[in-house]
Amino acid sequence: MSRANDLLKIRDLLQRRRRDILNASMGAQRELSALKDQDRDPEYEENAQAELADYTLSSLMEAQRREVMLIDAALRRMDTGVFGSCVDCGYDIPIERLEALPFAIRCEEDATRHELELRGGPQATPTL
């Protein structure tokens, strides 16, 4: 199969994932609204459970928002013809990497190098 066909399959995957996330996000938003509209029982334990559910749903919605942003950025790169090219070396990112991580902007070697630089280089002390 050609790289162009592989990239079309990845585009389709990204678009489906985006739709799924947005549908799930609408459901989470409805649940969060329902939680906030509930009459709160003065019982501490029940309030703590409601607050935990509120926090969990809010965190989920934030993670979904970030993933949609990554998908949108990948789709824009596809539209401009730069999707699948490493931003550092300019070589094609292997299709296997893009299938596993469709938001990838770096080949594996450059991604590893970039991660090391972010952590302070190969001599960096690991965080606890």
Side-chain angles (χ1 to χ4, degrees), residues 34-50:
L35 257 178
K36 289 183 178 185
D37 292 342
Q38 274 182 1
D39 287 334
R40 298 292 173 132
D41 191 323
E43 287 292 321
Y44 173 76
E45 187 174 315
E46 289 180 20
N47 278 336
Q49 288 174 345

Side-chain angles (χ1 to χ4, degrees), residues 4 9 34 44 51 56 63 70 80 108 117 122:
K9 286 170 73 174
Y44 173 76
E51 287 177 19
T56 302
L70 289 170
T80 59
E108 189 172 355
E117 289 171 4

